[in-house]
């Protein structure tokens, strides 16, 4: 670790063990665009394969550029170590496949990114992993839906479109009593929320969004908090308490902490079993792009959040806007929760509902001039979408409502342009909706 600072601005630049490239003294992290690494001798190679020594073997499993990114994000989240993968989707899939085999289940919050929902409800089901969906407003429902085959709880910190902060500590504590770890997708709340501090065991991110920050690269990461005892309830986590067939019958939950001296069995299995076998590795060039994004994330994220709050304030005063969805404008218990979990700002997303339903939503989107109309979040630019006619259009109206999507709902991922220009574009689009209405 080159810095012991707890400040995200410093960790983003100095976190992890990288200070300079040892062969060239390069300060910027080089892109190690290599597939493989020359072993020093036969003993060295043998030690690496038997995990007696950690070191580079093959870029599908590890890479020095990617390692810098992994160390910095692990430190930023307050975790012990991390594993970068090729997308946010791969991060959620691997985080769960590292705990579940066919016949097992997890309990997930209903409030999820649509891609994660599909992965859980359809693809995992076809693989024999069942995902049961619990109401995030009822922490006990996670326990009620679990059984002896439940291996994890899963949630997003700040899920859109509802933007209701997930009760991390409440659900994490319930799970810990019976050996169930909470996995949190913290994509929409980097810097501002620290799920591990509140009892989550694992944090994942889509790096594609605010961490990358410039809409150029797809990636994901899994952070191991090192704060969960995988062996306390041996029947609950069989993959960490039964002999692993691909590592000489080792009980990974016991052997990894003994051999490596750290509680990182989860991350080691994710890397040396799941990533090794399923192969969704991040490219070194994309790892470099994410390191560049990470360096300015604290600065950018503050601006994203400040601008989002000002956009929410502006919308609140518009007659044609029936409802503004933003943590600042939530009711008592949700507002309290936002205050507890979001320490440095209330998030970069704003939703609002236009009077005039689906037609008003379409006119608004078609009238935007500066703001991009895309199915993405977390770009430096402001982005907008009308979910009822796009991302959620295949759902019945009842299911759309359950997901928090009303006909006139617009989602904004507020960027870092000058606030006056963002509001001017929204304002001229609203005027066009008013004229048509
Ligand atoms: N998690 C959240 C909250 C997301 O919004 C997304 C993508 O939009 C993902 C995960 C998936 O990430 P990726 O697109 O990098 O696979």
């Amino acid at each position: 670790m080159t810095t012991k600072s707890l400040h995200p601005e410093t960790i983003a630049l100095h976190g992890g063990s990288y200070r300079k490239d040892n062969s060239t003294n390069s300060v910027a992290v080089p892109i190690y665009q290599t597939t493989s690494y020359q072993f020093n001798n036969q003993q060295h190679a043998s030690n690496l394969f038997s995990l007696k020594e950690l070191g580079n073997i093959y870029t599908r499993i590890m890479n020095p550029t990617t390692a810098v990114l992994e160390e910095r994000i692990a430190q930023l989240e307050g975790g012990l170590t991390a594993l970068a993968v090729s997308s946010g989707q791969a991060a959620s899939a691997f985080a769960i496949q590292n705990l579940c085999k066919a016949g097992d289940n997890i309990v997930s919050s209903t409030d999820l990114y649509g891609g994660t929902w599909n992965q859980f409800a359809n693809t995992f089901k076809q693989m024999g992993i069942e995902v049961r969906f619990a109401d995030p407003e009822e922490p006990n429902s996670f326990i009620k839906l679990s059984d002896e085959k439940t291996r994890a709880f899963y949630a997003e910190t700040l899920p859109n479109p509802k933007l209701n902060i997930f009760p991390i500590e409440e659900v994490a504590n319930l799970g810990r009593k019976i050996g169930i770890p909470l996995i949190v997708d913290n994509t929409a709340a980097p810097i501002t929320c620290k799920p591990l501090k509140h009892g989550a065991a694992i944090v994942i991110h889509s790096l594609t969004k605010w961490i990358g920050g410039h809409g150029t690269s797809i990636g994901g990461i899994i952070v191991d908090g090192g704060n969960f005892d995988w062996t306390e309830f041996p029947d609950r986590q069989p993959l960490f308490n039964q002999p692993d067939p691909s590592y000489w019958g080792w009980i990974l939950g016991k052997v990894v902490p003994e051999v490596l001296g750290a509680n990182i069995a989860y991350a080691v299995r994710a890397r040396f079993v799941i990533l090794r076998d399923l192969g969704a590795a991040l490219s070194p060039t994309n790892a470099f792009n994410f390191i560049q994004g990470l360096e300015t994330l604290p600065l950018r994220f503050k601006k994203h959040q400040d601008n989002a709050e000002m956009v929410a304030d502006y919308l609140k005063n518009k007659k044609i806007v029936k409802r503004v969805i933003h943590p600042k404008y939530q009711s008592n218990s949700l507002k309290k929760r936002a205050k507890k979990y979001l320490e440095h700002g209330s998030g970069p997303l704003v939703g609002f509902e236009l009077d005039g339903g689906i037609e008003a939503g379409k006119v608004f989107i078609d009238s935007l001039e500066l703001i991009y109309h895309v199915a993405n979040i977390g770009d430096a630019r402001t982005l907008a979408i009308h979910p009822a006619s796009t991302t959620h259009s295949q759902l019945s109206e009842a299911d759309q409502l359950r997901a928090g999507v009303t006909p006139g709902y617009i989602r904004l991922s507020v960027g870092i342009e000058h606030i006056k220009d963002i509001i001017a574009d929204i304002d001229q689009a609203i005027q066009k909706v008013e004229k048509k209405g």
Side-chain angles (χ1 to χ4, degrees):
M1 197 183 285
T2 59
T3 176
K4 290 198 169 69
S5 172
L6 296 175
H7 300 296
E9 295 85 349
T10 309
I11 296 170
L13 290 158
H14 298 274
S17 56
Y18 182 87
R19 176 72 187 167
K20 61 178 176 62
D21 177 56
N22 285 336
S23 54
T24 61
N25 283 358
S26 162
V27 171
V29 180
I31 303 173
Y32 290 97
Q33 195 71 41
T34 181
T35 55
S36 40
Y37 308 85
Q38 161 88 354
F39 302 121
N40 299 336
N41 50 46
Q42 184 282 326
Q43 189 60 50
H44 178 226
S46 166
N47 285 349
L48 294 179
F49 274 83
S50 60
L51 304 185
K52 282 187 189 131
E53 205 180 312
L54 283 185
N56 297 318
I57 299 174
Y58 188 58
T59 282
R60 172 158 29 85
I61 309 171
M62 75 281 281
N63 172 278
T65 309
T66 308
V68 176
L69 173 72
E70 291 168 336
E71 286 186 11
R72 285 194 182 155
I73 290 187
Q75 197 174 338
L76 198 65
E77 284 291 353
L80 279 192
T81 185
L83 174 69
V85 291
S86 61
S87 66
Q89 287 294 93
S92 57
F94 282 11
I96 290 158
Q97 286 170 312
N98 200 31
L99 298 171
C100 293
K101 51 186 170 12
D104 294 341
N105 68 72
I106 67 159
V107 181
S108 169
S109 166
T110 46
D111 292 357
L112 293 174
Y113 160 60
T116 310
W117 180 278
N118 276 332
Q119 182 182 84
F120 286 4
N122 302 316
T123 299
F124 273 175
K125 193 173 176 186
Q126 286 152 11
M127 292 172 164
I129 297 172
E130 185 193 354
V131 181
R132 302 169 179 185
F133 292 100
D135 179 358
E137 296 309 315
E138 296 285 340
N140 262 320
S141 64
F142 281 76
I143 295 291
K144 281 189 197 144
L145 285 168
S146 64
D147 61 19
E148 75 284 357
K149 296 251 181 193
T150 303
R151 308 291 176 228
F153 293 157
Y154 188 97
E156 287 180 21
T157 309
L158 181 59
N160 77 80
K162 289 184 192 162
L163 302 183
N164 293 348
I165 303 292
F166 184 76
I168 300 172
E169 189 178 324
E170 291 84 340
V171 174
N173 286 347
L174 288 171
R176 278 178 181 270
K177 287 188 190 137
I178 53 172
I180 300 179
L182 173 64
I183 302 169
V184 175
D185 179 340
N186 200 31
T187 298
I191 313 275
T192 192
C193 181
K194 298 279 165 62
L196 298 174
K197 195 173 98 178
H198 299 289
I202 307 299
V203 165
I204 71 157
H205 280 277
S206 164
L207 296 168
T208 315
K209 314 300 174 187
W210 289 272
I211 291 175
H214 298 82
T216 63
S217 310
I218 300 275
I221 199 158
I222 304 168
V223 180
D224 184 342
N227 60 2
F228 195 84
D229 185 350
W230 302 97
T231 57
E232 189 182 5
F233 298 89
D235 294 339
R236 176 64 75 189
Q237 300 297 345
L239 294 176
F240 290 88
N241 291 282
Q242 289 173 8
D244 189 289
S246 69
Y247 274 102
W248 307 290
W250 288 356
I251 311 271
L252 289 172
K254 291 210 166 101
V255 172
V256 171
E258 274 165 25
V259 173
L260 299 178
N263 183 20
I264 54 169
Y266 178 88
V268 166
R269 187 175 192 282
R271 182 184 299 279
F272 290 98
V273 177
I274 301 293
L275 182 60
R276 176 197 64 186
D277 295 351
L278 300 181
L282 184 66
S283 83
T285 302
N286 278 354
F288 174 84
N289 291 339
F290 292 129
I291 290 168
Q292 297 308 111
L294 184 61
E295 289 192 350
T296 56
L297 174 69
L299 206 59
R300 283 186 290 106
F301 205 68
K302 182 176 181 334
K303 182 81 172 165
H304 279 293
Q305 295 191 111
D306 290 350
N307 279 354
E309 196 169 323
M310 286 188 270
V311 166
D313 291 345
Y314 156 83
L315 290 166
K316 196 73 189 161
N317 293 318
K318 284 279 146 189
K319 233 174 151 190
I320 198 166
V321 174
K322 288 204 310 202
R323 204 161 53 100
V324 175
I325 298 104
H326 182 269
K328 182 173 173 182
Y329 291 113
Q330 281 170 335
S331 63
N332 292 342
S333 64
L334 286 172
K335 198 170 179 172
K336 250 195 222 156
R337 214 189 287 156
K339 208 163 173 212
K340 171 176 173 179
Y341 290 111
L342 303 182
E343 290 179 36
H344 306 283
S346 44
L349 299 167
V350 179
F352 64 100
E353 196 186 333
L354 283 167
D355 204 358
I358 207 148
E359 285 313 313
K362 286 181 187 170
V363 172
F364 176 84
I365 291 288
D366 283 340
S367 305
L368 292 172
E369 291 167 3
L370 179 82
I371 296 173
Y372 279 88
H373 176 208
V374 296
N376 192 22
I377 51 176
D379 197 308
R381 303 152 189 86
T382 300
L383 314 175
I385 198 150
H386 176 235
S389 62
T390 57
T391 52
H392 290 65
S393 58
Q394 286 100 340
L395 270 63
S396 68
E397 208 171 311
D399 282 346
Q400 285 189 3
L401 287 178
R402 217 166 293 137
V405 174
T406 45
Y409 179 91
I410 303 285
R411 181 188 74 198
L412 296 174
S413 173
V414 180
I416 60 174
E417 302 94 338
H418 197 287
I419 186 61
K420 284 188 178 162
D421 294 324
I422 299 173
I423 289 180
D425 197 32
I426 297 172
D427 195 63
Q428 63 82 22
I430 281 185
Q431 282 178 37
K432 292 207 175 106
V433 175
E434 285 168 338
K435 253 189 221 148
K436 288 241 165 137

